[in-house]
Amino acid sequence: MSPAPTAGAPAPAGGSPADDGAEHPDGGEGRRDPGGRRDPGGRRRARWSWAFGLRTRLTLAFLLVAAVSAGTTAALTYREARSALLQTAQDTAVSSFRDEVRQTGFPMPLQAEGIEGVLRDIARKGRPHPWVVFAEYGSIRASSGTSPVSGVITPQLRRAARANPHGSFQRVVKDGVPYLTIAMPTVFPTGPEGVLPTGLVLYAVMRMTDEQINVEALLTAARDGALPGLVVALLPGLLAARSVLRPVRELRRAARSMGSGRLDTRIRVRGGDELADLARTFNESAEQLEHSVRELRQAEARARRFASDVSHELRTPLAGMLAVTEVLDEDAGRLDPDTARAVRLISSETGKLAGLVEDLMEISRFDARAAELNTDELDAAEAVRKTLENRHWTDGRVRTELPEGIRVRLDPRRFDVVVANLVGNALRHGGTPVTVRLRRGTGPDGVPVLVTEVADNGPGIRPEALPHIFDRFYKADAARTRSEGSGLGLAITLENVRLHRGTVRAGNRPEGGAVFTVEIPLHTEGDGR
């Protein structure tokens, strides 16, 4: 019990005397660490909120706002009603007791005999509830009840009574029962404005049980009124979340549809709010994207058709030119030196042009998705040996590590192109000897693969050139304006490997030289694939 005395006017409403006028030491703010920083729990709450869907978070936010609004309204209503209820009872009791004390005469000096009757007479007039009246005068203690001393009159109230001749009061809670205690000293006038205490102090103790019951009823009514309000607020919260999330879901479906290639996807625009602006912006962006992609596809189709048409048109005259240059090559030895050099140059360039045309036709088939696999089961080592023999690369420039017994199902012609392009590229741009290795391996997904490695002893590939080594017409050496190949060999290799659902990558060996690694799924007829 730690009440604070209040003089001359009713004590502030709300709470027991133990917390009258008290403020929370941190002003209602959140906790801080010793360094004055905020508790990082806010970051944890933010991470926790992402564990729920947007609809759940919107509904919870709506309910939170409704709960705060309902709780605040209920709390303010309860506080004002409680304050008015206690204030009325308090003012009535203080005013009545002051009037009774002033109207009652006490002969001085006070005698213990007969004082109880006067006190009982004052107690019978107690309002709004019965009083128990106590009197203190020097060592004299008397009351209208059975005990001359009260256990709810505090030293603070006694000190306030001695300091204030107009009286003081205090609300006290003892053993769970609220009391209003009023101290009123008796005085006699010494002039128009002056008074002098007589030393006699009267105390009125009034139970406030009825007020406590009424306050608890107010609290119950506020709580019972707030809970149904939250339940009722759930329906508009769900409706609001639905109205917000419908355009978001439509936008998600539309974005997924566009990601799958349907560029004609559009969103229906409803209303004129921010979500409608978002839908309108999405539709405009989708329309521009569709237009741009359409133009790019048309340009790509025209480029593929142009390359294919040019290649076809050049194929026939190039075949005639190759036949003529072969005849001229045979007779070049009987021509004068200048004419012989010119004839051999024409023959060489015609051969390169023919190879370029064939590579362009092959690339155009890949671009048109017209390339197909004609697979067969074969021995990988035998296939590599045939490729090297057909190109006359058995003169010691190429070394092989070809274990026997590796059976693989693939397209022999395309595998021949892959090996020939990699070995030819190593011979042209790397250093001899070139090593071709075969082995079994396991792909990233655990599927058995045929691993083909082609390594040379040249300077290797510059790091900045590695990401572009399989690009069409890319020159790893910027100073080399022309090369013996068409510039499409590695690009055709990449497309052939992809057609086999394999991978090819380029790199440099620690001891020097470039290495190309091809991994093709090791499918045989016994696999049932």
Side-chain angles (χ1 to χ4, degrees), residues 419-431:
V419 175
N421 284 348
L422 293 179
V423 174
N425 183 77
L427 290 173
R428 284 192 299 270
H429 306 299

Side-chain angles (χ1 to χ4, degrees), residues 130-134 150 152-153 179-182 203-207:
W131 300 333
V132 178
V133 181
F134 297 86
S150 172
V152 297
I153 299 176
Y179 295 92
L180 175 65
T181 57
I182 308 170
Y203 298 93
V205 177
M206 182 183 72
R207 282 175 174 260

Side-chain angles (χ1 to χ4, degrees), residues 162-184:
R162 290 193 296 269
N164 186 2
H166 301 288
S168 300
F169 59 88
Q170 186 180 41
R171 288 201 299 271
V172 180
V173 177
K174 183 179 182 182
D175 298 331
V177 180
Y179 295 92
L180 175 65
T181 57
I182 308 170
M184 195 65 61

Side-chain angles (χ1 to χ4, degrees), residues 236-253:
L238 293 174
L239 294 177
R242 181 182 178 185
S243 64
V244 171
L245 291 180
R246 185 190 299 114
V248 176
R249 285 195 295 267
E250 292 180 357
L251 179 62
R252 181 188 62 188
R253 287 193 294 267

Side-chain angles (χ1 to χ4, degrees), residues 97 106 110-124 131-137 139-151 153 158 200-205:
F97 187 60
F106 295 92
L110 186 67
Q111 302 296 323
E113 295 78 8
I115 188 64
E116 289 86 354
V118 178
L119 297 179
R120 281 192 293 270
D121 184 60
I122 296 175
R124 282 193 297 269
W131 300 333
V132 178
V133 181
F134 297 86
E136 295 182 359
Y137 181 75
S139 60
I140 298 175
R141 299 290 184 271
S143 75
S144 62
T146 58
S147 175
V149 179
S150 172
I153 299 176
R158 289 187 173 91
L200 172 64
V201 180
L202 299 183
Y203 298 93
V205 177

Side-chain angles (χ1 to χ4, degrees), residues 173-422:
V173 177
K174 183 179 182 182
D175 298 331
V177 180
Y179 295 92
L180 175 65
T181 57
I182 308 170
M184 195 65 61
T186 60
V187 296
F188 60 87
T190 58
E193 299 294 335
V195 293
L196 183 66
T198 64
L200 172 64
V201 180
L202 299 183
Y203 298 93
V205 177
M206 182 183 72
R207 282 175 174 260
M208 301 187 74
T209 308
D210 292 344
E211 285 73 14
Q212 183 182 28
I213 294 173
N214 292 334
V215 167
E216 292 175 353
L218 286 174
L219 180 61
T220 302
R223 183 187 63 239
D224 294 344
L227 292 179
L230 292 180
V231 176
V232 173
L234 180 62
L235 180 59
L238 293 174
L239 294 177
R242 181 182 178 185
S243 64
V244 171
L245 291 180
R246 185 190 299 114
V248 176
R249 285 195 295 267
E250 292 180 357
L251 179 62
R252 181 188 62 188
R253 287 193 294 267
R256 185 177 299 168
S257 179
M258 289 189 65
S260 63
R262 297 182 56 185
L263 299 181
D264 58 343
T265 303
R266 299 293 184 271
I267 301 176
R268 185 168 57 181
V269 180
R270 301 184 183 90
D273 55 6
E274 290 81 359
L275 293 174
D277 292 339
L278 177 61
R280 194 175 296 109
T281 302
F282 176 86
N283 291 339
E284 293 172 355
S285 302
E287 184 177 357
Q288 294 177 2
L289 178 62
E290 183 183 16
H291 178 70
S292 300
V293 171
R294 187 187 303 115
E295 289 185 344
L296 288 174
R297 287 175 176 172
Q298 291 173 353
E300 184 181 5
R302 287 194 298 267
R304 286 199 303 265
R305 188 165 52 250
F306 174 78
S308 178
D309 292 344
V310 169
S311 300
H312 279 287
E313 292 297 328
L314 290 176
R315 200 172 190 182
T316 300
L318 279 174
M321 294 174 63
L322 285 173
V324 172
T325 55
E326 288 178 1
V327 175
L328 292 176
D329 279 343
E330 293 177 358
D331 296 336
R334 295 191 295 270
L335 300 175
D336 61 88
D338 292 338
T339 304
R341 283 194 300 271
V343 167
R344 292 190 179 95
L345 178 60
I346 291 173
S347 178
S348 173
E349 295 299 323
T350 303
K352 291 181 182 179
L353 182 58
L356 175 60
V357 170
E358 291 296 329
D359 288 346
L360 284 174
M361 291 183 65
E362 184 72 4
I363 283 291
S364 66
R365 282 192 287 269
F366 283 118
D367 290 342
R369 304 294 189 269
E372 297 180 351
L373 284 177
N374 297 310
T375 61
D376 191 11
E377 185 179 355
L378 49 83
D379 184 275
E382 183 63 25
V384 173
R385 279 194 290 267
K386 286 183 179 180
T387 298
L388 300 179
E389 291 172 359
N390 292 337
R391 272 80 175 174
H392 306 290
W393 290 334
T394 57
D395 54 0
R397 293 181 298 166
V398 180
R399 297 176 181 176
T400 58
E401 297 178 10
L402 309 176
E404 301 293 338
I406 301 180
R407 306 291 295 179
V408 62
R409 188 169 187 83
L410 44 72
D411 188 324
R413 184 184 70 84
R414 297 190 182 279
F415 185 67
D416 173 80
V417 172
V418 169
V419 175
N421 284 348
L422 293 179

